Amino acid sequence: MIKKFIKPDEGLVGIVVTVLVIGLVIVVTGIVQSVYMPQWLEQKEAEHMHMVSYQFAQLKQSLDILSVIEQENAISIYITLGTPEIPIFGTGRTYDDLNILTNNCSIEVSNDSSSYSFSLGTVKFTSQNSYFVDQSYIYEAGALMLSQGSAGILNGKPFLSVSNFTNVSFTIINISSFEGKKIAGGYGTYSIYMEYVNSSYYTINDLRYINITTNYKNAWRTFFNSTTLKYSLLTYEINDIDEDVISVEFSESLGNLVIKVSEISVQIAPGWIE
Amino acid sequence: MKRSDKAVSETIGTLLLLGISISLFSVIYFSVMTIYPISATPSVNIICSFNDSNIIIEHRGGKTLDLNTKFIVTIDGNGEKFTVKDYLTSDFKANGVWNVGEQVIYPVGDITNKKVSVSVIDEHSNSVIMMVNIKE
């Protein structure tokens, strides 16, 4: 009888230890999920933004090359949208957006009597990060910008040169697209197909104003404060004339401005339209 | 009587094993629960340049940093410590953080033929987030 009474106790330690170990595993998993996982995910999202930064540098390089060679050629580059999830835990996947925006920026140049106005298309990447700060990369009129919250910086300059001290050459790149080929969103690697269309040249004498309507005034201000204009003989002032308009006013009507506008057709999403 | 003794021995053995198991579990549990989570090094892009006798350190995207973020400028082996708020342009101090596009401009003077290095240290994670040697 005593033996029968003792027998059930033999497994008790094993059961209790098993329950405790399971509890311990749950606690450790909980700590990893709540403390360490956010740090890993933030790091992964930051790495993804670095990759997008590099890919947008390639985008600018390709568009600049197409504008320079002025031949009917096409180049494709690839943009990675979204961050993959962490293996085993299966969490952390994010989804991003890539858009071609038409008439999102405009540039107006004028002297005292005449003016030219160009309405331009842009390429915009918008992240939807869960842990890392949200960023947007924008290719606008030949400039590459990074926008983060309300702040923005210039990552790549458009072509602007000053010759004979006061004559200015300015290349603007206009992005055009087709309906249905302007938006890609989600997760994965998407190609951007860029095809040169044409270039037009405009000359304006006695340049007085360059007005840019943009969402990224800080970046354009950095551009106009850059060395090309700063160390020329041009004297100018940069003013905010509206919430989204930045104006460069040349105090003397010095020199001429030659503007080259290259139109490049850009398509995202598969199924190319010829 | 002998049979009874055996039962006592087994009961004591079981209690001891249970005690050891619970003690071990408690030690591991409290060890894990009291692990201080290590602050990760902030993901931030910082670029350093030299222009007109000034060292310019610019935030180029990523996490915003505290105004108490330290930077150390070492000239020919002599290091000096500063915080970002000491040399951040006054317009940029208003938001209380070091954000993208904001510059720290440190007037270093003539550094011709001098060995100059700059380090930026995040206090929160106690980690070096940028280190660069400048040659003029």
Side-chain angles (χ1 to χ4, degrees):
Chain A
M1 280 301 287
I2 292 168
K3 273 188 181 177
K4 275 182 186 175
F5 179 73
I6 292 169
K7 264 183 185 174
D9 285 350
E10 285 176 355
L12 187 62
V13 175
I15 291 164
V16 171
V17 169
T18 306
V19 169
L20 292 177
V21 168
I22 289 169
L24 188 64
V25 168
I26 290 168
V27 167
V28 171
T29 310
I31 288 169
V32 169
Q33 285 269 17
S34 60
V35 177
Y36 294 99
M37 191 71 83
Q39 291 182 3
W40 293 343
L41 290 172
E42 187 182 337
Q43 199 62 41
K44 271 176 80 79
E45 287 172 2
E47 282 168 15
H48 172 239
M49 296 315 299
H50 279 295
M51 188 196 289
V52 173
S53 170
Y54 173 70
Q55 290 169 335
F56 259 74
Q58 284 184 317
L59 175 89
K60 174 170 167 50
Q61 189 182 22
S62 305
L63 288 166
D64 287 353
I65 289 169
L66 286 172
S67 170
V68 168
I69 61 175
E70 293 190 23
Q71 289 175 8
E72 288 187 10
N73 271 309
I75 299 175
S76 287
I77 61 121
Y78 296 86
I79 304 285
T80 309
L81 303 183
T83 313
E85 64 274 12
I86 285 184
I88 301 168
F89 292 96
T91 56
R93 179 176 281 207
T94 62
Y95 305 91
D96 301 325
D97 300 324
L98 187 62
N99 295 287
I100 295 167
L101 306 169
T102 48
N103 303 327
N104 195 49
C105 162
S106 71
I107 294 180
E108 185 187 12
V109 291
S110 59
N111 58 18
D112 289 333
S113 56
S114 60
S115 68
Y116 289 111
S117 183
F118 308 98
S119 190
L120 306 169
T122 62
V123 183
K124 183 177 184 183
F125 166 92
T126 312
S127 72
Q128 292 176 32
N129 292 328
S130 302
Y131 296 93
F132 189 61
V133 61
D134 273 325
Q135 295 182 325
S136 294
Y137 282 93
I138 305 103
Y139 183 86
E140 180 176 275
L144 178 59
M145 295 144 181
L146 164 65
S147 171
Q148 187 178 303
S150 58
I153 54 167
L154 186 71
N155 267 2
K157 289 166 63 175
F159 176 72
L160 187 141
S161 74
V162 181
S163 59
N164 293 331
F165 303 109
T166 55
N167 291 329
V168 180
S169 298
F170 188 20
T171 299
I172 296 169
I173 295 175
N174 181 25
I175 305 294
S176 62
S177 190
F178 300 98
E179 283 305 321
K181 299 295 162 197
K182 293 179 180 176
I183 299 170
Y187 172 81
T189 301
Y190 290 80
S191 88
I192 297 186
Y193 177 80
M194 295 162 281
E195 189 173 359
Y196 176 80
V197 180
N198 59 42
S199 289
S200 309
Y201 290 84
Y202 305 85
T203 304
I204 188 161
N205 301 321
D206 301 327
L207 170 70
R208 286 301 303 273
Y209 298 99
I210 300 177
N211 295 338
I212 299 178
T213 306
T214 176
N215 294 319
Y216 312 101
K217 286 198 300 185
N218 286 345
W220 281 106
R221 186 177 289 104
T222 307
F223 168 63
F224 285 114
N225 271 328
S226 66
T227 50
T228 312
L229 278 178
K230 203 174 169 182
Y231 294 119
S232 70
L233 286 185
L234 294 167
T235 50
Y236 61 96
E237 202 172 85
I238 302 168
N239 302 306
D240 289 341
I241 57 171
D242 205 346
E243 196 181 329
D244 58 352
V245 181
I246 187 167
S247 174
V248 184
E249 182 182 350
F250 295 88
S251 47
E252 297 288 337
S253 52
L254 292 169
N256 304 320
L257 173 69
V258 178
I259 295 184
K260 173 186 172 184
V261 181
S262 293
E263 188 178 335
I264 295 171
S265 170
V266 175
Q267 297 178 46
I268 42 182
W272 317 121
I273 297 171
E274 296 297 332
Chain B
M1 282 301 285
K2 278 183 183 175
R3 276 182 185 173
S4 298
D5 283 351
K6 275 183 185 173
V8 168
S9 169
E10 284 187 34
T11 307
I12 290 168
T14 306
L15 286 172
L16 282 172
L17 277 171
L18 266 174
I20 291 165
S21 305
I22 291 165
S23 307
L24 273 174
F25 174 80
S26 303
V27 168
I28 296 168
Y29 178 83
F30 284 109
S31 304
V32 171
M33 287 299 282
T34 52
I35 290 173
Y36 184 76
I38 304 155
S39 295
T41 306
S43 299
V44 58
N45 294 336
I46 294 171
I47 194 159
C48 181
S49 57
F50 180 78
N51 188 21
D52 293 338
S53 304
N54 294 317
I55 290 173
I56 300 162
I57 306 167
E58 186 178 352
H59 190 300
R60 297 286 300 178
K63 283 191 92 172
T64 52
L65 296 173
D66 199 274
L67 290 182
N68 290 320
T69 301
K70 283 180 186 164
F71 69 100
I72 302 170
V73 178
T74 309
I75 303 168
D76 284 341
N78 299 315
E80 288 189 72
K81 279 184 191 174
F82 307 95
T83 58
V84 163
K85 69 181 169 198
D86 295 337
Y87 290 98
L88 193 67
T89 319
S90 55
D91 302 348
F92 298 143
K93 282 181 188 170
N95 59 10
V97 288
W98 187 19
N99 202 2
V100 62
E102 297 178 354
Q103 293 179 337
V104 174
I105 301 172
Y106 175 72
V108 69
D110 185 17
I111 57 166
T112 312
N113 300 323
K114 290 179 180 171
K115 279 186 177 178
V116 179
S117 68
V118 180
S119 307
V120 178
I121 297 150
D122 176 54
E123 261 200 328
H124 187 62
S125 61
N126 197 27
S127 56
V128 176
I129 47 180
M130 191 207 70
M131 189 183 279
V132 67
N133 293 315
I134 300 171
K135 276 186 180 177
E136 181 66 5

